[in-house]
Amino acid sequence: MSNFHVLAGTGDKLDMPMIRQITLADLGDALRKGAADFGEKPSHYALLVLIYPIVGIVLTVWMDGYHTWPLLYPLVGGFALIGPFAALGLYEISRRREQGLDTSWVHAFEVFRSPAMASIAAVGVMLFVLFTLWLTAAQALYESLLGSSPPQTLNGLVAQIFNEPGGITLLIAGTGLGALFALVTLCTSVIAFPLLLDRDVGAIVAIETSFRAVLANPVPMLAWGLLVGAGLFLGSVPLFVGLAVVLPIFGHATWHLYRKLVEPASLIRGR
């Protein structure tokens, strides 16, 4: 029965959250609230300022030493696939601020005490599988167009893309393939993690609710996906340093977007 709880949540029947209609203006409001959460105590993110440059340096050394530069673009784009899971602690901070609770950075780790932690882990595993499939597909696409001998430098990769016959095709096809993976991630997890932190509905219901939210609000949700993707990409360019600001703001904003999209359980029970 524990496996069923992970998939379907607690209770004798599925808790199916109700979806609201939103507009593009709601996206701006969610971003403003996310920036306000970030600005309240930005010292929470001092650790992030250190982590992302270190990650960027490690990846750069690894790519240079093992000549894996073709994976640079897929890795940068891959942040959009695992971003919803990486922002778990930020959702918790926004949730606590909303309730007037202490928002010290140590409380970000309270997500590990969530009753829905097993369901959260299940959705997280799904995202990491998508991330792995994306990297595998991107590598296969590169080898099919440009061969299995990668360039030894970043400048060599740039020259290969713009000078060799299959380079532009790789750029266009790779971007399209990445957009497809990003769309799957958006549809299955855009509000899955905030929902699970708020209500232990189970992994399947969380994924299904995200999908319904996108179907009910296609234009705003696709616009949100483009904003997040562009922001994460730009934040990743300078050795991932920009993610120290971009990821917290989008993470907090996603919590507020969830609040706009999903009818609170208390209101549903009161009807």
Side-chain angles (χ1 to χ4, degrees), residues 15 41-42 72 82 168 206 230 232:
D15 177 8
K41 292 180 180 178
L72 175 62
I82 60 174
I168 299 300
L232 292 178

Side-chain angles (χ1 to χ4, degrees), residues 92 95-96 105-114 117 197:
E92 176 64 15
R95 186 188 71 82
R96 294 181 64 85
W105 68 270
V106 293
H107 291 294
F109 296 100
E110 291 193 7
V111 296
F112 296 109
R113 301 179 184 177
S114 170
M117 192 60 221
L197 282 177

